[in-house]
């Protein structure tokens, strides 16, 4: 009996350790988060680093060093980590790798680890990269012509598919809420193009005049990911603000943010290749009751007041539909798949709030520049306080279950995104909240995540 009691006690302690991974003894110093996250059962989030200048995209190089774009004028930072196992990870050293304040989001390494791609609003640059030395060579602009007249969507996401490592995917969003010229595939906006890397390194191109269009009609698909089990390419879409349908304001809970499927990069005959996903003509539904029709379902694409290029809902039914949708204005910014393809994690940056005073700078790598007191310059405009959604929503990290290369939930689901990390008080967002932004897996399959507004990097236990 005593042996049985001891065995039960040992089992109970083992279960407790599994359920409460934050109790593990740490060699690294504990860094308190700016905003304490609420975690789902089995998950933890620990701060690895603070004090970064608006960290966005991250990647690990072949030596396990972390590269991070600092959108707030910091360029690209190289971080060496001390790894004590599990989530006990901290910074050994960090330094500025690329001192360029125009770099604002995109970051990617070639398969051999020797060429680093970064992006500004206007260009994609390539740098020779030496991981062992922690240095870069001479910068070369390889894609240009991505600047826009109005600094609306200024980031340019970069991805190199594992299944086709000789190409670079480059994303450009819209130049406004409803960008009418993007009804044409040659606009060079609201689309993602595929470029041959070897060709780029020898002969630079203008974005709209080079490469092949993978998908278009994508308002601002900042997050791009690849299912490692199938090679399928996925994106997450930031949809429109302030929409009306038949004169009725439906913007609080519509249109939906989207998860879109783009097939395989090398499948040029597939239905998804060069598919149009609807923008600026068609928008997906999140809350059907807003439209007053029993036939309208979650995920249905509809025209709205102000739609261009498609005048009816019937026209929208011909566009390539999202595979899943998410609540309006939650702003998904990245998607990363588990190695076994069983799940994808999505960062929801959250609905936006423009405070006052605020200057909107056309020359800034990050369009929203707080100034107090406000001084209007030649390239700035004063904006009034406003939100695209009230109450705020988003500000979380979520998990989508996948099986056989597709989400488990149907396209009409409103429960596919399971929240694993979220802010406790959305009413205080964005000012008092972390804002999930970019993610990266290390060689031990541990998930790291940036929060741009709080300047933090987290390691997520249990992912």
């Amino acid at each position: 009996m005593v042996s049985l009691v001891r065995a039960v006690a040992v089992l109970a302690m083992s279960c407790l350790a599994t359920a409460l991974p934050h109790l593990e003894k740490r060699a690294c110093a504990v860094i308190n988060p700016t905003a304490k996250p609420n975690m789902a059962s089995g998950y933890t989030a620990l701060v690895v680093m603070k004090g970064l200048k608006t960290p966005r995209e991250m990647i690990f190089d072949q030596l396990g060093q972390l590269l991070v774009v600092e959108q707030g004028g910091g360029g690209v930072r190289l971080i060496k980590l001390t790894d004590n196992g599990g989530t006990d990870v901290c910074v050994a050293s960090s330094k500025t790798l690329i001192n360029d304040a125009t770099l604002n989001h995109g970051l990617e390494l070639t398969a051999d680890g020797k060429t680093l791609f970064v992006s500004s609003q206007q260009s994609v640059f390539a740098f020779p990269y030496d991981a062992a030395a922690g240095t870069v060579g001479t910068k070369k602009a390889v894609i240009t012509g991505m600047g826009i007249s109005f600094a609306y969507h200024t980031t340019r996401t970069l991805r190199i598919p594992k299944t086709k490592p000789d190409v670079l995917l480059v994303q450009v969003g819209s130049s406004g809420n409803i960008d009418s010229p993007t009804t044409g595939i040659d606009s060079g906006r609201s689309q993602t193009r595929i470029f041959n890397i070897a060709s780029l390194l020898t002969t630079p191109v203008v974005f709209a005049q080079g490469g092949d269009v993978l998908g278009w009609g994508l308002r601002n698909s900042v997050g791009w990911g690849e299912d490692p089990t199938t090679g399928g390419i996925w994106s997450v879409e930031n949809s429109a603000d302030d929409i009306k349908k038949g004169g009725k304001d439906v913007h609080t809970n519509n249109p939906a943010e989207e998860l879109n499927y783009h097939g395989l990069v090398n499948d040029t005959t597939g239905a998804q290749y060069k598919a149009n996903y609807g923008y600026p003509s068609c928008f997906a539904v999140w809350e059907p009751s807003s439209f007053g029709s029993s036939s309208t379902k979650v995920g249905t694409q509809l025209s709205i007041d102000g739609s261009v290029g498609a005048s009816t809902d019937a026209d929208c039914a011909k566009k390539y539909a999202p595979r899943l949708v998410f609540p309006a204005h939650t702003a998904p910014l990245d998607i990363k798949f588990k190695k076994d393809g069983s799940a994808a994690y999505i960062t929801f940056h959250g609905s936006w709030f423009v405070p006052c005073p605020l200057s909107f700078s056309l020359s800034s790598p990050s369009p929203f520049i707080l100034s107090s007191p406000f001084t209007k310059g030649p390239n700035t405009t004063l904006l009034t306080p406003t939100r695209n959604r009230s109450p705020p929503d988003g500000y979380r990290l979520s998990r989508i279950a996948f099986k056989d290369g597709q989400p488990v939930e149907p396209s009409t689901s409103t429960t596919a995104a399971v929240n694993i990390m979220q802010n406790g008080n959305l009413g205080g967002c964005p000012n008092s909240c972390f804002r999930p932004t970019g993610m990266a897996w290390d060689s031990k399959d541990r998930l790291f995540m940036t929060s741009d507004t709080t300047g933090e990097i987290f390691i997520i236990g249990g992912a």
Side-chain angles (χ1 to χ4, degrees):
M1 178 61 72
V2 174
S3 297
L4 177 60
V5 171
R6 287 177 176 171
V8 171
V10 170
L11 179 60
M13 291 301 292
S14 175
C15 292
L16 181 62
T18 301
L20 300 173
H22 61 280
L23 294 178
E24 67 182 32
K25 186 176 181 180
R26 289 176 57 82
C28 291
V30 174
I31 303 175
N32 292 323
T34 301
K36 184 179 179 180
N38 289 345
M39 305 301 298
S41 178
Y43 291 92
T44 60
L46 297 172
V47 178
V48 175
M49 187 175 186
K50 295 184 76 170
L52 294 162
K53 298 176 180 178
T54 319
R56 300 283 289 191
E57 289 267 84
M58 298 185 295
I59 52 173
F60 282 91
D61 67 17
Q62 293 181 326
L63 298 182
Q65 300 171 128
L66 186 58
L67 306 178
V68 185
V69 173
E70 295 184 85
Q71 188 186 80
V76 176
R77 180 166 293 275
L78 172 65
I79 303 169
K80 294 185 178 182
L81 299 173
T82 297
D83 184 359
N84 300 306
T87 57
D88 191 4
V89 178
C90 45
V91 175
S93 65
S94 78
K95 68 175 185 178
T96 298
L97 178 69
I98 301 173
N99 186 14
D100 185 344
T102 69
L103 305 181
N104 64 3
H105 186 77
L107 185 67
E108 187 59 292
L109 267 174
T110 51
D112 62 6
K114 295 181 179 180
T115 302
L116 179 65
F117 291 103
V118 293
S119 66
S120 67
Q121 176 187 320
Q122 299 190 19
S123 303
V124 174
F125 302 103
F127 288 84
Y129 176 60
D130 185 333
T135 59
V136 293
T138 303
K139 175 175 72 173
K140 182 176 184 178
V142 294
I143 302 174
T144 58
M146 297 186 296
I148 52 179
S149 57
F150 181 61
Y152 203 84
H153 293 134
T154 63
T155 60
R156 313 289 178 241
T157 302
L158 312 176
R159 290 290 183 270
I160 296 176
K162 302 294 184 184
T163 52
K164 194 170 175 56
D166 60 335
V167 301
L168 176 69
L169 308 186
V170 182
Q171 169 269 342
V172 175
S174 67
S175 180
N177 189 34
I178 305 296
D179 189 355
S180 297
T182 61
T183 54
I185 196 171
D186 295 329
S187 72
R189 298 191 300 277
S190 296
Q191 60 186 243
T192 290
R193 292 185 175 233
I194 308 169
F195 297 88
N196 179 271
I197 292 174
S199 178
L200 282 179
L201 294 177
T202 58
T203 309
V205 298
V206 174
F207 179 82
Q209 300 171 10
D212 294 317
V213 174
L214 175 61
W216 60 300
L218 299 162
R219 180 177 177 270
N220 191 34
S221 294
V222 180
W224 288 77
E226 179 183 19
D227 184 334
T229 63
T230 66
I233 302 296
W234 296 82
S235 70
V236 284
E237 166 85 341
N238 290 246
S239 198
D241 301 314
D242 303 318
I243 70 167
K244 294 181 179 181
K245 176 74 169 176
K248 179 183 177 182
D249 185 342
V250 296
H251 88 276
T252 298
N253 293 312
N254 291 287
E257 314 287 46
E258 301 176 4
L259 173 66
N260 287 307
Y261 180 55
H262 301 278
L264 306 177
V265 171
N266 56 2
D267 184 9
T268 59
T269 62
Q272 299 84 15
Y273 197 80
K274 291 191 177 181
N276 183 285
Y277 290 78
Y279 178 83
S281 308
C282 308
F283 301 84
V285 172
W286 175 253
E287 186 182 70
S289 62
S290 299
F291 299 94
S293 172
S294 59
S295 62
T296 301
K297 306 296 183 185
V298 171
T300 301
Q301 295 213 86
L302 302 176
S303 62
I304 62 170
D305 297 0
S307 284
V308 290
S311 57
T312 69
D313 295 343
D315 293 323
C316 292
K318 301 173 186 177
K319 304 295 184 180
Y320 204 87
R323 180 57 182 82
L324 285 175
V325 293
F326 310 113
H329 316 302
T330 49
L333 289 191
D334 201 1
I335 176 171
K336 290 289 188 292
F337 284 82
K338 287 178 66 71
K339 182 184 290 186
D340 63 4
S342 63
Y345 291 91
I346 297 175
T347 53
F348 289 93
H349 196 238
S351 51
W352 52 256
F353 170 63
V354 177
C356 187
L358 179 138
S359 65
F360 189 97
S361 174
L362 299 182
S363 60
S364 169
S366 181
F368 297 122
I369 308 297
L370 287 171
S371 59
S372 182
F374 173 73
T375 302
K376 186 174 180 180
N379 294 317
T380 59
T381 301
L382 181 63
L383 302 180
T384 57
T386 184
R387 292 184 184 271
N388 64 345
R389 190 186 194 283
S390 185
D393 198 6
Y395 310 94
R396 55 184 176 253
L397 173 65
S398 301
R399 181 184 187 275
I400 310 290
F402 270 70
K403 184 178 181 180
D404 300 326
Q406 290 291 321
V408 171
E409 294 284 323
S411 60
T412 54
S413 174
T414 59
T415 59
V418 178
N419 301 331
I420 67 167
M421 178 182 180
Q422 53 192 321
N423 284 275
N425 177 24
L426 287 178
C429 297
N431 295 336
S432 301
C433 298
F434 63 87
R435 302 192 76 174
T437 310
M439 294 179 287
W441 295 102
D442 73 356
S443 61
K444 296 182 178 180
D445 300 324
R446 295 175 297 191
L447 186 63
F448 290 71
M449 184 195 83
T450 58
S451 167
D452 60 356
T453 54
T454 59
E456 295 167 315
I457 298 174
F458 290 87
I459 182 170
I460 311 299

